[in-house]
Amino acid sequence: MPDRNSYDKLKILFINIIAILYKATALNVHRLHSDLREVKVVVNTCKQEIWIPQLFIFLISGLLLMRFLMCFMGLASNIVAIYPILTNSQPELLMPSIIVQILDNVALNIYEIVLGYACLKYLHPDSFAVFIVFLVKMIIKTTCCVSAL
């Protein structure tokens, strides 16, 4: 019968490889470019002063770029984290992966919630019900991400 310790190590390694493959597929520059173009089109549909949509275009584009960069950094840190998982040595190599997950899954989710609220309040104030659904989704997502840490 296999050792319980080796089973846990294999499980963590499997999750890490799945995360690497997912992040590698998410690094799509063409999708990022189309998302950045779509931001301008969607934000410009509001009937606000000229500076408010420009501010939101900047903030939303910044969020998309940060998600893209965090995906890239997460991919690199998960590749580095394979060595300590396999050898049970140098646990400090796991810290970049944990830090990137905290930034990506907690900090950027909170920023996305605040930005989503601000967008719906200033750009489309009549759609508050959409924000409630968005908020519930983001709370569930953040809770799952924190529990996975």
Side-chain angles (χ1 to χ4, degrees):
M1 176 140 185
D3 186 8
R4 174 78 177 159
N5 216 5
S6 65
Y7 173 73
D8 291 338
K9 186 189 308 184
L10 186 63
K11 186 169 67 170
I12 292 171
L13 184 64
F14 178 73
I15 291 170
N16 199 11
I17 290 174
I18 295 297
I20 288 171
L21 293 174
Y22 172 74
K23 288 177 182 176
T25 60
L27 285 174
N28 187 347
V29 178
H30 299 292
R31 191 178 83 197
L32 176 67
H33 180 42
S34 68
D35 287 346
L36 289 174
R37 283 181 178 253
E38 186 180 351
V39 165
K40 187 172 183 179
V41 171
V42 170
V43 170
N44 283 334
T45 61
C46 74
K47 308 293 187 244
Q48 295 289 333
E49 297 176 17
I50 190 70
W51 66 273
I52 292 176
Q54 295 301 320
L55 177 68
F56 280 108
I57 288 172
F58 175 73
L59 292 174
I60 295 170
S61 298
L63 176 67
L64 290 173
L65 287 173
M66 285 302 298
R67 287 273 184 205
F68 184 79
L69 291 175
M70 283 294 133
C71 188
F72 180 74
M73 289 177 20
L75 176 65
S77 67
N78 281 344
I79 290 171
V80 170
I82 289 177
Y83 178 74
I85 292 171
L86 290 176
T87 62
N88 282 341
S89 64
Q90 296 179 334
E92 63 274 1
L93 290 176
L94 294 172
M95 286 306 294
S97 179
I98 293 169
I99 291 170
V100 167
Q101 287 179 17
I102 289 171
L103 287 175
D104 189 19
N105 296 331
V106 179
L108 286 181
N109 281 352
I110 292 171
Y111 176 65
E112 190 172 346
I113 290 170
V114 171
L115 188 60
Y117 174 74
C119 283
L120 288 175
K121 177 147 176 71
Y122 291 109
L123 299 178
H124 303 287
D126 55 338
S127 57
F128 190 72
V130 173
F131 177 71
I132 299 299
V133 173
F134 171 73
L135 182 64
V136 169
K137 174 201 158 235
M138 290 304 291
I139 288 173
I140 292 170
K141 181 180 175 185
T142 305
T143 305
C144 291
C145 292
V146 167
S147 67
L149 282 174

